[in-house]
Every structure is written in structure tokens, then in C-alpha cells.
């Protein structure tokens, strides 16, 4: 992908910038789709029609929403800390976008093929916490501050089990690189982590051989449990229902972005949606084969077209990611909100002990079986 | 060339934000400015091909220490609104310490045999080597550091629980 851009535009700074901006294009399109999905899916679940007037079947509604946000007056509250108030939305989106650097969209495209991908992803998430805190404090509003406090406490707590889930997969594959984790699951869908990982030896992207056999089926219950737990922590980290305590509109207006309007609100909105896709994509990468086709074959291979294979891989990752985004939206209209103490109980007394237990068992099995 | 420019960008970010940390009149500005100092230092680590240390820096300092710091500042009501006094106290011992530190630093700077860091064509992972070293050669310091942290956590929990509150979760 990088070489393609280089051949088109030459080896200069512009190429580099364009290469880094590609996920942004995807994100903008995805956000439009997600806005439409949110209103339409919620409408169907409540036996309504949802927006029907803008365009046929209401499909241009997100565009209208974006236009509305663009035209809105940019208000900064008089008592707010102006500098931090204006900085926070950008920092928030920056943090969300920075994490996309290590998401491999296909075997040919990954922003930065870091050896430390998984570790980097965990670390960069903490930047978002700082942004939320900044927004909550700078707004000079009690609802914003409470929302920010709740949000930060929640994200910081749920980072621990999320990290353990990543460690479980990393232990099994023996690499922190997401491309390695994905290539370890290549082949038909029963090689995905959620089904116990590869059943025969595979060559990782880094060239190392990962020994595997049908014995890996004993990992199936462990990985299945860790997938469910990772998804739960993901819901909590993106502040989505049933963990939307920081935004709890019936208690806190809308949490840390109560005072934001117009484009600055849109930035927070974008970063929330970007984080939703991020969690979904990482779930797909860790447990559902990432960009691997579930059938183990690509149409592009039949026609001997490498570009088609890359496109198909992109399609599969986006499909899996969007599916998990759909489940997030689905859950929002299914489950009631948890209380703060229930949320903390869930994290510290259920998820963390179980995640440490699974990590120990997986570590033990990996050592014994190899 | 690009490396040099990037170095100066990160160095400037670190130094300027560090100045803000020290001179800002509002505690919260100091705390948030520290965020950019840590980021700049992480950038410098990357330029030194220490990728693992750079990410660990973000993880530990921004994700842990900074968040804790800002949380603490926000929870203490007065600290956010009252401006902290930046007046000078005890000039004589303070300046003695500062000048001594400066002298030591300058001495160290001139005594050290500086070796030029070769810029690697591509950043090779240092994670595996680091992990192996921590588990073999340096396993004792690693374990000792772990025990120290455990003691700290237990001590903090003990202090926080001093007044007997019996609340059932």
C-alpha cells in the first residue's frame, strides 16, 4: 500500500501524510453509517420507524446531522477555563486516532507496523482519559466534573482486565505485533482464537513458526471466556450501556461533554464512535481472525490479483468490526444501566480475578504444550 | 535530517512544558502541562530506538501517575480554585541545593564519555531482549522492585482504611 502510494506520488512528505490519513477517511464514512445505525436500530428495537423524511427511508439523516453540527454556534461558557476547554476535544480525538496507527486493516495496510502494537494500544488509551478529565474540569460545571470523575474511574479500573485479555492472546502467539496475531489465525474460521487458535503450524508475519496442533482445542473454553470478558471491558471503556454511568442522561445531563456544542461536541462524538470501532476491531483481531477470511480462501487468489485480496481482507475486518459495533448498539437498547457500585464490583471482584486465573492457566498450558 | 528536526521538536516540547509545570500559577495547569512533558520524553525515547521504554513511559507516567495526580488535585476542592503561592522561602538552603545540583550535573556532563547513538535504519524490537534480561541477569532487582511496589500498595491501602468504615458493597 505504501509502495503503491509512493509510485503514484513519489517518495515525499505528502505520501507519508496521505498514508497516515487513510484511516481518517474510513472513520468519517463509518461515523455517518454509525449515526444512521444508531437511530435506525434503536427505532426498530422500539417498534418505531426512526427518521424517514431526509432522503429515501431517512438515509441522508446523518449528513443533515453533521451539517447541523457544523453550522451551530461555537459556545464557550463564561466561567470555563478557555484554553483547556478548547484543547480537550482535540486531545480526545487525537488519542482515539493515534490508536488506529497499529490497527492492521489488511495484510498490506497498517499505519505503523509496531512490534509493540498491543502494548502501544493499551498505553495510548490513557491519553483519552486525560482528555476527558481536562474537559470535565475545564467546563466548570458540576455535571461535567462528576461525569469526568466517573468516566475516569471506570476506564482506569477496566484497563486492568482489558490488559490481561490482551496478555492472554499475546502469551499464546508469542508476539505483541497485531499482524503476527492475525497471521497466527490464518486459514478457515476454526483457526480463530475464539475456537482455540490454529490447529496446524503457521508461519507468523515476522517469519517465526508457531507450533500448533489439534490439542489447541483445550484452549477453546479459555479463549471463549476471555473474548466475552474483553468485550465487556470494551463496553465499559467506551462508556456504552450498560456501563454508560458517566453519561447517564437521567442523572448527569450528558456527563463530561455537557457544556460542549457544535464542532467541539462533534469531536467528542467522533472520538467516542472511533473508540467503539477500535474496541470492535481489536475484538475481531484478537479473537476472530482480524482480516482473515472465514473460509480461508480469497477470490483474489483465484484470479491471481493481489489488490483484490487486500481489498477483501479490508472488507472482512470492517465487516467483523461493524458487526461488533452493531452488537454494542443492540445492547444499548436491551440492558439497563448498572449502578456505580455494581460496576466496580463487576470489575474488581469478577473480571479481574477471572482474567488473572485464565492468564495463569493459558501461560501454564503454553509452557507445557511447547 | 528528519530525525534532527523531530529531536528538536520533542526536546522543545519537553523543556517548554516543563517550564510551565514549574511556573504555572494554577496547580491544574501544572498537572496538565506534565502530560506534554511526559509525551516529549516518550518521543525522545523513540528517537533513541528504545521503543519499549517509550511506550512504558506513556503507560506508567501518563496512564498511571498523571491521572492519579490530576484526580488528587480535582478531589481536593481548594487546590483547583485557590492559586498556589509561588513566593520564595528559605532562599539560602534552596539556592545552595540548586547550585550544587547544577554543578554536579555539569561535572557529569563533561566527565561522561559520550558515545554517538547509531540511528537504526528500522526500529528493531527491544522487547524480547528486555524480557529475557529481566528474567535472567537482572531477575533479583526486578523481584525486589516488585516487592517494593507490593509493600507500597499495601501501605497505601492500610492508610486509606485507617478509620473503620463498615460499608457492605
Amino acid at each position: 500500500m505504501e509502495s503503491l502510494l509512493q509510485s503514484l506520488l513519489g517518495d515525499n512528505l505528502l505520501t507519508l501524510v496521505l498514508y497516515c490519513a487513510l484511516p481518517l477517511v474510513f472513520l468519517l464514512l463509518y461515523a455517518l453509517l454509525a449515526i444512521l445505525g444508531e437511530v435506525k436500530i434503536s427505532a426498530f428495537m422500539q417498534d418505531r420507524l426512526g427518521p424517514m423524511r431526509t432522503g429515501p427511508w431517512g438515509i441522508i439523516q446523518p449528513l443533515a446531522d453533521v451539517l447541523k453540527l457544523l453550522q451551530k454556534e461555537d459556545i464557550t461558557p463564561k466561567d470555563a477555563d478557555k484554553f483547556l476547554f478548547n484543547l480537550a476535544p482535540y486531545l480526545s480525538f487525537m488519542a482515539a486516532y493515534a490508536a488506529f496507527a497499529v490497527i492492521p486493516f489488511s495484510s498490506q495496510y497498517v499505519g505503523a507496523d509496531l512490534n509493540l502494537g498491543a502494548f502501544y494500544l493499551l498505553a495510548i488509551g490513557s491519553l483519552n482519559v486525560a482528555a476527558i478529565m481536562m474537559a470535565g474540569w475545564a467546563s466548570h460545571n458540576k455535571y461535567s466534573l462528576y461525569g469526568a470523575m466517573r468516566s475516569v474511574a471506570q476506564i482506569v479500573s477496566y484497563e486492568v482486565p482489558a490488559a490481561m485479555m490482551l496478555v492472554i492472546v499475546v502469551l499464546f502467539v508469542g508476539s505483541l505485533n497485531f499482524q503476527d496475531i492475525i497471521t497466527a489465525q490464518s486459514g478457515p474460521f476454526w483457526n480463530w482464537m475464539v475456537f482455540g487458535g490454529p490447529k496446524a503450524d503457521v508461519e507468523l508475519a515476522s517469519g517465526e513458526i508457531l507450533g500448533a496442533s489439534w490439542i489447541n482445542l483445550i484452549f477453546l473454553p479459555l479463549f471463549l471466556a476471555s473474548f466475552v470478558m474483553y468485550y465487556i471491558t470494551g463496553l465499559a471503556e467506551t462508556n456504552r450501556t450498560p456501563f454508560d454511568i458517566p453519561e447517564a442522561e437521567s442523572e448527569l445531563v450528558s456527563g463530561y461533554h455537557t457544556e460542549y456544542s457544535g464542532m467541539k461536541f462533534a469531536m467528542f462524538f467522533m472520538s467516542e464512535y472511533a473508540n467503539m470501532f477500535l474496541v470492535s476491531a481489536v475484538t475481531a483481531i484478537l479473537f476472530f481472525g482480524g482480516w482473515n477470511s472465514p473460509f480461508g480462501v480469497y477470490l483474489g487468489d483465484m484470479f491471481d490479483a493481489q489488490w483484490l485480496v487486500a481489498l477483501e481482507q479490508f472488507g472482512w475486518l470492517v465487516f467483523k468490526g461493524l458487526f461488533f459495533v452493531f452488537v454494542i448498539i443492540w445492547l444499548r437498547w436491551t440492558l439497563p444501566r448498572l449502578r456505580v457500585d455494581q460496576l466496580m464490583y463487576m470489575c474488581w471482584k469478577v473480571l479481574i480475578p477471572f482474567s488473572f486465573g485464565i492468564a495463569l492457566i493459558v501461560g501454564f498450558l503454553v509452557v507445557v504444550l511447547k | 535530517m528528519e530525525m534532527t528536526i523531530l529531536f528538536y521538536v520533542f526536546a522543545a516540547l519537553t523543556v517548554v512544558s516543563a517550564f510551565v509545570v514549574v511556573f504555572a500559577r494554577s496547580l491544574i495547569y501544572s498537572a496538565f502541562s506534565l502530560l506534554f512533558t511526559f509525551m516529549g520524553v516518550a518521543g525522545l525515547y523513540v528517537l533513541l530506538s528504545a521503543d519499549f521504554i517509550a511506550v512504558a513511559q506513556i503507560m506508567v507516567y501518563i496512564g498511571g501517575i498523571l491521572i492519579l495526580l490530576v484526580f488528587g488535585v480535582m478531589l481536593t476542592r481548594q487546590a483547583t480554585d485557590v492559586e498556589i503561592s509561588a513566593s520564595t522561602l528559605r532562599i539560602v538552603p534552596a539556592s545552595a541545593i540548586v547550585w550544587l545540583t547544577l554543578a554536579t550535573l555539569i561535572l557529569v556532563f563533561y566527565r561522561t564519555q559520550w558515545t554517538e547513538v547509531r540511528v537504526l535504519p528500522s526500529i528493531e524490537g527491544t522487547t524480547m531482549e528486555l524480557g529475557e534480561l529481566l528474567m535472567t541477569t537482572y531477575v533479583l532487582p526486578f523481584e525486589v522492585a516488585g516487592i517494593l511496589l507490593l509493600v507500597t500498595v499495601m501501605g497505601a491501602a492500610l492508610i486509606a482504611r485507617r478509620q473503620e468504615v463498615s460499608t457492605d458493597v
Side-chain angles (χ1 to χ4, degrees):
Chain A
M1 189 70 205
E2 197 174 5
S3 53
L4 176 75
L5 268 178
Q6 268 174 4
S7 63
L8 281 176
L9 298 159
D11 187 10
N12 53 29
L13 209 62
L14 182 71
T15 320
L16 212 61
V17 171
L18 276 180
Y19 187 72
C20 300
L22 284 175
L24 189 62
V25 178
F26 165 73
L27 263 185
L28 294 172
L29 293 174
Y30 147 77
L32 292 179
L33 193 70
I35 295 170
L36 185 71
E38 186 109 52
V39 288
K40 277 293 184 188
I41 292 167
S42 71
F44 293 146
M45 291 196 177
Q46 297 171 332
D47 207 9
R48 295 183 283 119
L49 284 173
M52 291 297 281
R53 305 227 171 173
T54 16
W57 203 62
I59 50 168
I60 340 182
Q61 184 63 37
L63 272 179
D65 280 349
V66 170
L67 268 179
K68 178 194 76 182
L69 280 175
L70 278 172
Q71 290 174 337
K72 269 196 171 178
E73 188 190 352
D74 181 36
I75 301 169
T76 309
K78 199 168 101 262
D79 276 345
D81 189 310
K82 303 235 165 19
F83 180 70
L84 292 181
F85 185 83
N86 290 328
L87 183 65
Y90 299 103
L91 196 67
S92 175
F93 185 69
M94 194 193 89
Y97 192 60
F100 274 84
V102 288
I103 299 297
F105 281 96
S106 82
S107 57
Q108 305 301 314
Y109 183 86
V110 51
D113 194 10
L114 283 187
N115 275 317
L116 291 166
F119 190 37
Y120 169 87
L121 188 86
L122 285 173
I124 213 75
S126 57
L127 218 56
N128 197 24
V129 180
I132 288 174
M133 238 167 187
M134 203 182 268
W137 186 82
S139 297
H140 213 278
N141 174 321
K142 61 186 168 199
Y143 297 118
S144 301
L145 194 58
Y146 271 119
M149 292 276 194
R150 286 183 180 189
S151 179
V152 170
Q154 180 172 324
I155 297 176
V156 168
S157 309
Y158 277 82
E159 251 175 17
V160 182
M164 288 315 290
M165 294 305 135
L166 274 171
V167 163
I168 288 164
V169 175
V170 166
L171 268 178
F172 182 85
V173 179
S175 167
L176 284 160
N177 189 328
F178 276 137
Q179 291 286 31
D180 279 351
I181 292 173
I182 294 171
T183 38
Q185 307 173 61
S186 50
F189 65 87
W190 57 77
N191 284 343
W192 292 352
M193 284 301 169
V194 75
F195 298 116
K199 305 296 184 291
D201 292 1
V202 276
E203 193 186 347
L204 298 183
S206 58
E208 281 175 46
I209 305 287
L210 178 71
S213 63
W214 281 94
I215 292 177
N216 279 347
L217 273 179
I218 56 169
F219 285 108
L220 195 148
L222 297 169
F223 284 145
L224 198 63
S226 36
F227 152 64
V228 174
M229 281 157 70
Y230 183 78
Y231 200 61
I232 293 173
T233 56
L235 284 176
E237 288 200 57
T238 46
N239 298 337
R240 292 289 298 197
T241 327
F243 304 107
D244 66 339
I245 296 160
E247 276 163 46
E249 62 271 13
S250 46
E251 305 165 28
L252 288 181
V253 192
S254 68
Y256 61 88
H257 51 62
T258 303
E259 293 287 355
Y260 285 89
S261 61
M263 265 324 274
K264 286 191 208 116
F265 170 75
M267 296 290 268
F268 275 119
F269 200 71
M270 271 297 287
S271 89
E272 194 183 318
Y273 273 81
N275 275 326
M276 254 164 75
F277 185 78
L278 195 72
V279 164
S280 306
V282 173
T283 309
I285 287 166
L286 291 180
F287 299 105
F288 287 85
W291 41 252
N292 279 309
S293 149
F295 312 113
V297 286
Y298 299 101
L299 276 176
D301 279 336
M302 285 177 212
F303 304 120
D304 208 24
Q306 272 304 307
W307 58 270
L308 191 60
V309 175
L311 265 185
E312 272 178 80
Q313 288 171 338
F314 173 72
W316 281 116
L317 182 84
V318 171
F319 172 73
K320 290 169 188 171
L322 288 183
F323 174 75
F324 287 116
V325 171
F326 165 72
V327 177
I328 292 178
I329 295 174
W330 176 10
L331 286 176
R332 176 171 174 194
W333 303 102
T334 312
L335 297 174
R337 185 183 303 136
L338 265 71
R339 279 200 322 263
V340 177
D341 59 316
Q342 290 171 330
L343 176 96
M344 288 300 164
Y345 177 88
M346 175 97 182
C347 179
W348 294 99
K349 296 198 173 169
V350 180
L351 289 176
I352 290 183
F354 274 97
S355 61
F356 272 92
I358 294 179
L360 278 177
I361 298 172
V362 168
F364 178 74
L365 285 177
V366 165
V367 171
V368 168
L369 293 178
K370 281 174 189 171
Chain B
M1 182 57 199
E2 287 101 345
M3 284 298 197
T4 324
I5 296 173
L6 277 179
F7 169 78
Y8 281 111
V9 168
F10 283 126
L13 182 71
T14 312
V15 174
V16 170
S17 58
F19 266 105
V20 178
V21 172
V22 180
F23 290 112
R25 296 200 71 85
S26 148
L27 206 53
I28 205 96
Y29 265 79
S30 296
F32 278 125
S33 183
L34 206 56
L35 170 79
F36 295 98
T37 316
F38 289 147
M39 293 253 275
V41 173
L44 291 178
Y45 282 141
V46 172
L47 292 183
L48 290 169
S49 310
D51 53 350
F52 187 83
I53 306 287
V55 180
Q57 159 91 10
I58 296 178
M59 183 97 189
V60 173
Y61 282 92
I62 297 180
I65 292 174
L66 183 85
I67 300 297
L68 206 67
L69 208 77
V70 179
F71 222 83
V73 172
M74 280 189 188
L75 284 174
T76 39
R77 194 169 236 282
Q78 288 86 358
T80 49
D81 293 326
V82 174
E83 292 191 345
I84 45 163
S85 65
S87 60
T88 33
L89 295 165
R90 295 183 193 171
I91 295 175
V92 182
S95 56
I97 293 170
V98 168
W99 285 113
L100 257 176
T101 318
L102 184 68
T104 321
L105 280 178
I106 291 174
L107 204 70
V108 168
F109 185 81
Y110 278 107
R111 284 279 181 82
T112 312
Q113 299 285 324
W114 295 102
T115 49
E116 197 165 324
V117 177
R118 64 201 162 89
V119 177
L120 301 173
S122 66
I123 296 176
E124 291 165 33
T126 51
T127 321
M128 196 167 263
E129 287 81 359
L130 265 177
E132 269 177 20
L133 282 177
L134 278 180
M135 280 293 130
T136 53
T137 321
Y138 300 106
V139 71
L140 184 66
F142 183 65
E143 294 287 327
V144 170
I147 290 170
L148 180 73
L149 286 174
L150 183 68
V151 170
T152 321
V153 169
M154 284 164 70
L158 191 73
I159 292 169
R161 284 181 69 111
R162 181 145 293 167
Q163 63 276 53
E164 275 302 317
V165 226
S166 58
T167 42
D168 291 345
V169 179

